[in-house]
Each structure stands twice: as structure tokens, then as C-alpha cells.
């Protein structure tokens, strides 16, 4: 990751040194490699601040490019992101702001974000709806848990199942038996749940969520979306700021 900043630094250095080179009768083009490297090295040693300046400029550019790419991806997938009838959510259906969360039941940051996510509708006076998108990036039992939650939803128990699965503290505890135990404890018909987990409809629903995440270039969880803003990671303040901006926009 440091190569690009150093190349940028070298470019800045060469621009700054061009007058001096011209005065000596040589230009960067006419210098051999050793002369050029010596001059660049001496300039950087004398002006180390250009490294920091170059890195800051590079990071700002990368952030701007990432934000633009995210906005384009959101725009191309807006209906699938915000308007699916099959989505499970908390908060008023007609809330002016929708927050979408992509998550994995074995993601530690997702687990720690649960109380924050649960509180969003009330914290913003029921002007926020939170939509849950299963995104089992760890595969295996994460995918099983995702299907179980969706199947519990067919018995109107999605949110109860979601919260209970998130509250499994250790990933080692999340097993097939534990999933069934949780389902039974919240009043889900486990036999029906297991049958529904095998259905083509639910498997397609989960697959569509994963394809959507890929289309949005989402490479980790949690991932939050508000309007045309994407927020990676458990950035609670970033989510709140995006909600406020959407409400005031």
C-alpha cells in the first residue's frame, strides 16, 4: 500500500525540482537513473513533509473514488436494496428513512452492533426503518443460521430469531442443535422451519441478498446503507450522521 504514495511523492518531488534541474542544464528526461534517484532521495530527506502530504492527498482521492463508486452501485440496485416486499424490518413501514444492514451471525462487530441497530427507530422518533439483509460471508453454519432466520420469518418470528441468533456470544456455540434450540424457545415450529429452509424460494431469497452485496462491492460485515451513502463496519456515529443528513435533506 505504500508504493503508490511513494510514487506520488516522487512525482511531487520531481515537479518541485524541475527548475533546479533546468538551471544545471539537465532535465529529468536526460538524467540517468542513479542521478534521478539521488536527487529524489535528497529532496525527500530535506522535505519529509511531502510524504505526509502525498499520503493525505492519495487517501482523500481514494475515499472520493470509493464514495462515487458506492453511489453508482446503490443507484443501479436501489429497488433491490430498499424496496423488496420480502425484506424483514423493524420500525414503521412508511418511515421517511430506511437503513439497510448486511450482516453475518458469526460477525463479532454485527453482534456488538445489535443494541445500536435495535434502538434506531425509537431514537429517531419512528422516522427510521431498519431492513435486515442476510449476508453469510463466513459460509457454513452462518448460511444455515441465515436460512433458519428467513424460515422463522414465514412463521412471523424473523426478528425474534434474528435477535436470538445475534445474542449467541461464542461462534463455537452456533451449531445446528443450537439453532433448533433457539427456534423452539421463541415458539417456532422447528420441523416446519427445517422444511422451509430447504425450499427453493428461501434459498433464492438468500442467494439474491448475497448477489446484491456483491453488486454493491460489499466485502465485509456489517455494512450499512442509507440513501446513496454506504458505511462499512460498525461505524455507529457514521450511521447516525447519515440518518440525520437524510432526514434534513
Amino acid at each position: 500500500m505504500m508504493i503508490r504514495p511513494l510514487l506520488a511523492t516522487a512525482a511531487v518531488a520531481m515537479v518541485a525540482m524541475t527548475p533546479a534541474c533546468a538551471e544545471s542544464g539537465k532535465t529529468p528526461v536526460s538524467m540517468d537513473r542513479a542521478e534521478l534517484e539521488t536527487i529524489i532521495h535528497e529532496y525527500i530527506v530535506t522535505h519529509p513533509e511531502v510524504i505526509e502530504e502525498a499520503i493525505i492527498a492519495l487517501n482523500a482521492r481514494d475515499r472520493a473514488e470509493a464514495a462515487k463508486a458506492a453511489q453508482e452501485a446503490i443507484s443501479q440496485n436501489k429497488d433491490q436494496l430498499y424496496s423488496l416486499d420480502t425484506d424483514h424490518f423493524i420500525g414503521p413501514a412508511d418511515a421517511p428513512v430506511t437503513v439497510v444492514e448486511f450482516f453475518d451471525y458469526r460477525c463479532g462487530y454485527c453482534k456488538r452492533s445489535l443494541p445500536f441497530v435495535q434502538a434506531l427507530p425509537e431514537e429517531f422518533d419512528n422516522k427510521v426503518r431498519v431492513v435486515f439483509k442476510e449476508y453469510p460471508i463466513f459460509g457454513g453454519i452462518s448460511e444455515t443460521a441465515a436460512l433458519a432466520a428467513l424460515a422463522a420469518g414465514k412463521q412471523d418470528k424473523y426478528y425474534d430469531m434474528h435477535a436470538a441468533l445475534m445474542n449467541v456470544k461464542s461462534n463455537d456455540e452456533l451449531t445446528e442443535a443450537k439453532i433448533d434450540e433457539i427456534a423452539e424457545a421463541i415458539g417456532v415450529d422447528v420441523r416446519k422451519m427445517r422444511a422451509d429452509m430447504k425450499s427453493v424460494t428461501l434459498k433464492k431469497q438468500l442467494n439474491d441478498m448475497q448477489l446484491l452485496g456483491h453488486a454493491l462491492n460489499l466485502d465485509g460485515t456489517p455494512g450499512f446503507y442509507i440513501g446513496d451513502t454506504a458505511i462499512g463496519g460498525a461505524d455507529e456515529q457514521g450511521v447516525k450522521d447519515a440518518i440525520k443528513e437524510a432526514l434534513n435533506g
Side-chain angles (χ1 to χ4, degrees), residues 96 105 135 157 178 193 210:
Y105 287 115
Y135 199 56
K157 293 286 187 178
K178 184 66 173 179
M193 178 190 79
Q210 292 173 296

Side-chain angles (χ1 to χ4, degrees), residues 24-92:
S24 66
K26 289 188 175 184
T27 68
V29 175
S30 65
M31 293 178 187
D32 63 31
R33 183 184 181 90
E35 289 178 301
L36 193 58
E37 288 180 349
T38 298
I39 292 174
I40 291 174
H41 173 76
E42 290 176 353
Y43 184 87
I44 291 175
V45 169
T46 306
H47 303 85
E49 69 277 3
V50 299
I51 296 178
E52 181 180 2
E53 292 170 1
I55 292 174
I56 290 172
L58 177 66
N59 288 340
R61 188 188 70 190
D62 285 350
R63 285 195 299 272
E65 290 177 352
K68 181 179 179 181
Q71 289 174 356
E72 291 175 352
I74 291 170
S75 177
Q76 293 168 3
N77 297 278
K78 187 159 277 187
D79 288 342
Q80 292 88 344
L81 186 58
Y82 295 115
S83 304
L84 291 182
D85 293 337
T86 53
D87 281 336
H88 296 283
F89 61 89
I90 57 173

Side-chain angles (χ1 to χ4, degrees), residues 97-118:
V97 174
T98 293
V99 176
V100 174
E101 180 194 13
F102 286 81
F103 59 88
D104 184 300
Y105 287 115
R106 285 192 288 167
C107 164
Y109 289 107
C110 299
K111 291 177 182 292
R112 289 194 285 275
S113 296
L114 179 62
F116 163 74
V117 171
Q118 289 174 315

Side-chain angles (χ1 to χ4, degrees), residues 166-224:
M166 278 295 184
N167 280 316
V168 176
K169 300 303 180 185
S170 169
N171 287 335
D172 292 337
E173 294 179 38
L174 191 59
T175 62
E176 297 274 358
K178 184 66 173 179
I179 290 171
D180 289 351
E181 177 188 323
I182 288 172
E184 186 173 5
I186 64 173
V188 169
D189 181 331
V190 176
R191 181 174 296 182
K192 183 179 186 307
M193 178 190 79
R194 284 290 175 177
D196 287 334
M197 287 169 64
K198 298 176 183 177
S199 72
V200 173
T201 300
L202 283 193
K203 288 184 176 181
K204 182 181 184 304
Q205 185 179 350
L206 178 58
N207 186 61
D208 286 347
M209 291 180 189
Q210 292 173 296
L211 290 176
L212 175 60
H214 296 324
L216 294 169
N217 300 311
L218 181 60
D219 58 4
T221 54
F224 295 95

Side-chain angles (χ1 to χ4, degrees), residues 15 44 55 67 83 103-104 130-131 140-141 163 165 167 235 240 247:
V15 170
I44 291 175
I55 292 174
S83 304
F103 59 88
D104 184 300
V130 179
V131 169
I141 200 68
L165 288 169
N167 280 316
D235 183 359
K240 288 182 180 180
L247 287 171

